[in-house]
Amino acid sequence: MQTLVTDLLVTLAYGVVGVVLMAVGYALVDIATPGKLHELIWTERNRNAALLLASNLAGVGIIVVAAIAASADDFVLGLVGASAYGLLGLVIMAAAFLLLDAATPGRLGEILVDPEPHPAVWVSAVVHLATGAIIAAAIS
C-alpha cells in the first residue's frame, strides 16, 4: 500500500509539472497570436490557432515524457529534468517560430487569426512537434 501511495504522489507531481509547462506553452502561443487565443479557438473556432496550440502542447508532452523516462527512477532528477527540459523546449519552440516567421513571407501571428485554413500553420505545427522530438531524443 505504501508503494501505491508513493507512486500516486510521484505521478501527481509529474502531472503538475506537465500541466504547468503546458500552461506556459499556451501563454506563449497566446502571445504569438493577435487577439485572445481562447476566443480564437473556443468562440471563433479558428482551426489555424487550434492546430498551432495543439502542436505546441504535444511538443511539450513529448519532452516531459522523455525526461520522466530518462530519470531512471530518481524522482527529484526526473522532476527537475522534466521542468528544465520542458522550459528549454518551450524556449526553442518560440525561437523556431520566430525564425520561421522571419524566413517566410507574411506574419505567422496574423495568419493564425485568419479564419481560412492556411498551409503555413501546418509547417509551424510540424516545427513544434519536431522540436519536441529533437529535445526528447537528446535527453539521456
Side-chain angles (χ1 to χ4, degrees):
M1 187 64 160
Q2 176 89 18
T3 303
L4 176 62
V5 171
T6 301
D7 288 349
L8 288 172
L9 291 173
V10 167
T11 301
L12 177 63
Y14 280 126
V16 168
V17 167
V19 169
V20 166
L21 288 168
M22 287 189 289
V24 172
Y26 180 98
L28 289 174
V29 174
D30 194 20
I31 289 168
T33 57
K36 297 290 183 192
L37 188 59
H38 68 276
E39 289 176 11
L40 285 170
I41 295 173
W42 282 272
T43 303
E44 298 175 25
R45 298 174 164 228
N46 186 298
R47 291 184 181 121
N48 293 329
L51 177 59
L52 188 68
L53 177 61
S55 67
N56 180 281
L57 299 176
V60 170
I62 290 166
I63 295 166
V64 171
V65 167
I68 293 168
S71 68
D73 295 328
D74 183 335
F75 170 66
V76 174
L77 177 64
L79 210 54
V80 170
S83 300
Y85 285 114
L87 288 173
L88 177 63
L90 286 167
V91 167
I92 293 173
M93 281 186 227
F97 180 86
L98 293 173
L99 181 62
L100 182 64
D101 190 25
T104 57
R107 303 285 304 162
L108 283 176
E110 293 173 8
I111 290 170
L112 289 173
V113 297
D114 189 340
E116 291 297 316
H118 197 288
V121 177
W122 284 93
V123 174
S124 188
V126 169
V127 167
H128 277 126
L129 293 173
T131 301
I134 289 165
I135 292 169
I139 298 171
S140 55

